[in-house]
Amino acid sequence: MILRSHRVRVLGALLFCVSASCLADSLLLHAARLLDVATGRMVAPGEILVEGQRITAVGSQVALPSGGQRIDLGDVTLLPGLIDAHVHLFLHPGEEDLQTVEESVPQRTLLAAMAARDDLMAGFTAERDMGTEGAGSADTAIREAINKNLIPGPRLRISGNAIDILGGHEDANHFNPEQHVLSNATFANSADEIVAAIRQQHKEGSDFVKMYETGHDTLRDGILYTPYQYTAAQLQVAVNEAARFGSTVAVHAMGEPGTLYAAQAGVASIDHATQLSAQTMQLMKDKHIPAVPTFAVFEYFSQHGLTSEQSQRESALLDYKIKEFKKQIAAGISFAVGSDVGPFPHGTQARELELMVKYGMTPLAVLQADMINGAKLLGWEGQIGELKAGYLADIIAVPGNPLFDIGAVRRVAFVMKDGRIEKNETVQAN
């Protein structure tokens, strides 16, 4: 049951944090159910003992140390925090090219801070920010502010500006060239320039490298055509340079042959992955490269095109993507969950999990893709993504049973990150 008054919810959450999270050395969360994501086993009832930033015990009945606080969250299911492997904190709904030109970087950074808060309140306790779209390394400031508890937000992996070719996917191709409007990405047109861009971004605080590998996309006679931007050899240079300092490369790659080149180079993930050949999928399986489908943004644009013609084009592309996704499931490739949120409102991206179920995956498989595969992709395997002793206390609660109704993840009632209660809209039974 969810409280109806927003004012009461906020006040209750604040008072609850003061009475429990801030004063108790040990915190025991009790709920009707707890999901073991790795096995799919539902534990009923479910209890988690949190001490400091970490989980110390999990089960159907956990002993509470003396002086600890017990919180009964009621008829909810406890889950690991959601993970979004493809977000854009520096974007919001509206014409992307115009907002990146008309809004200053300080303004966009403030909006990004609000976006991070909205995502956390929706239950996303970890995210991978896939490019600031022309705001340079401003995402470093957002990540550090979150890490220092100056602002609320998910734990972040950031890329800074994405890397693109001249005239590529994120260049200002629609503006008067005499105005010299800057690209929304960093230009790198050769292997040497790729290395230089990666080194500059690493200096400015990036955690990984984001590259645009395909675009502009067109559907002709029901087939996707999308020019590649970098050869497999150039992508390999990027992968090698990132690996030199322990990092990875993620690519925007809609279709062939760019998706094949990305798989051959051994990137960390292929994002969007609308068109994958049998050869590409086999390489992805051999190299453990997940696809990140990003259905939510495709659905949004199919419903909110700037013109009816654009909506029709996006709808056709979404239909194509759904058919290809079913082939990818059948081929047995792995997936992570990423929504591409930013062009649509932050805090609403749990829709991505619903769509992956709608188009062929089971609820458990999607939760495993989100939490277990997502933790590995973001470099936090063994730290987040499961409710286990020793893991960081990133915990959410949803009404009902998400194995029966994946839509429950859009109704997150409780959020804990690093052992701190960030949101509590449940009715406590005690």
Side-chain angles (χ1 to χ4, degrees), residues 126-145:
E127 293 184 334
R128 188 175 62 157
D129 192 63
M130 293 285 283
T132 62
E133 307 293 308
S137 59
D139 52 356
T140 300
I142 297 294
R143 182 194 60 197
E144 295 309 300

Side-chain angles (χ1 to χ4, degrees), residues 206-224:
S206 66
D207 295 311
F208 70 98
V209 179
K210 158 73 180 291
M211 299 181 72
Y212 285 104
E213 170 56 6
T214 64
H216 172 72
D217 313 312
T218 57
L219 273 178
R220 299 199 298 271
D221 298 324
I223 299 175
L224 176 67

Side-chain angles (χ1 to χ4, degrees), residues 94-410:
E95 293 188 60
E96 181 179 322
D97 283 349
L98 290 182
Q99 65 186 260
T100 58
V101 170
E102 295 176 348
E103 297 169 3
S104 69
V105 171
Q107 179 184 358
R108 295 182 67 202
T109 305
L110 291 172
L111 293 174
M114 296 169 64
R117 176 204 62 198
D118 290 346
D119 289 354
L120 179 63
M121 292 303 105
F124 289 87
T125 56
E127 293 184 334
R128 188 175 62 157
D129 192 63
M130 293 285 283
T132 62
E133 307 293 308
S137 59
D139 52 356
T140 300
I142 297 294
R143 182 194 60 197
E144 295 309 300
I146 292 171
N147 289 347
K148 294 175 182 177
N149 293 319
L150 299 176
I151 61 173
R155 60 183 79 250
L156 291 177
R157 296 299 193 194
I158 61 169
S159 66
N161 243 6
I163 295 174
D164 197 12
I165 62 170
L166 181 67
H169 178 75
E170 278 299 316
D171 202 351
N173 295 320
H174 304 296
F175 290 98
N176 177 0
E178 294 305 314
Q179 296 302 317
H180 303 290
V181 176
L182 297 176
S183 170
N184 286 337
T186 297
F187 287 140
N189 293 307
S190 66
D192 287 344
E193 290 178 358
I194 290 170
V195 170
I198 291 173
R199 290 177 179 176
Q200 181 66 37
Q201 291 176 354
H202 181 62
K203 172 185 174 180
E204 295 175 4
S206 66
D207 295 311
F208 70 98
V209 179
K210 158 73 180 291
M211 299 181 72
Y212 285 104
E213 170 56 6
T214 64
H216 172 72
D217 313 312
T218 57
L219 273 178
R220 299 199 298 271
D221 298 324
I223 299 175
L224 176 67
Y225 294 88
T226 180
Y228 74 90
Q229 298 192 175
Y230 295 107
T231 65
Q234 289 171 322
L235 289 175
Q236 187 68 64
V237 167
V239 168
N240 292 345
E241 178 60 23
R244 185 179 63 82
F245 50 83
S247 187
T248 60
V249 176
V251 295
H252 165 119
M254 281 284 290
E256 300 291 342
T259 45
L260 173 61
Y261 296 163
Q264 289 172 336
V267 299
S269 67
I270 297 178
D271 290 57
H272 309 304
T274 296
Q275 179 194 65
L276 302 173
S277 68
Q279 181 184 3
T280 298
M281 288 190 284
Q282 186 59 55
L283 281 171
M284 292 172 71
K285 291 166 65 175
D286 293 343
K287 298 184 179 186
H288 307 290
I289 300 171
V292 184
T294 66
F295 279 111
V297 75
F298 284 83
E299 180 187 65
Y300 181 82
F301 282 131
S302 72
Q303 298 171 351
H304 299 85
L306 297 176
T307 65
S308 60
E309 290 79 8
Q310 183 183 9
S311 292
Q312 290 172 4
R313 288 196 302 271
E314 296 294 339
S315 293
L317 186 56
L318 176 58
D319 289 342
Y320 178 90
K321 186 176 182 68
I322 294 167
K323 293 177 184 177
E324 293 297 307
F325 181 61
K326 294 179 186 297
K327 297 177 186 177
Q328 294 167 13
I329 296 172
I333 68 170
S334 64
F335 297 95
V337 177
S339 66
D340 208 1
V341 69
F344 65 96
H346 281 275
T348 69
Q349 68 261 46
R351 175 65 174 161
E352 182 69 25
L353 285 82
E354 283 186 310
L355 292 174
M356 292 175 74
V357 170
K358 179 179 179 180
Y359 300 139
M361 294 178 71
T362 67
L364 178 60
V366 171
L367 291 169
Q368 290 170 338
D370 182 86
M371 297 162 182
I372 296 176
N373 295 353
K376 183 177 181 180
L377 180 56
L378 271 62
W380 281 310
E381 185 179 15
Q383 296 291 312
I384 62 172
E386 296 185 64
L387 300 178
K388 283 180 152 184
Y391 278 53
L392 290 166
D394 287 6
I395 304 165
I396 64 171
V398 300
N401 185 338
L403 296 183
F404 298 147
D405 175 19
I406 192 63
V409 296
R410 298 182 72 186

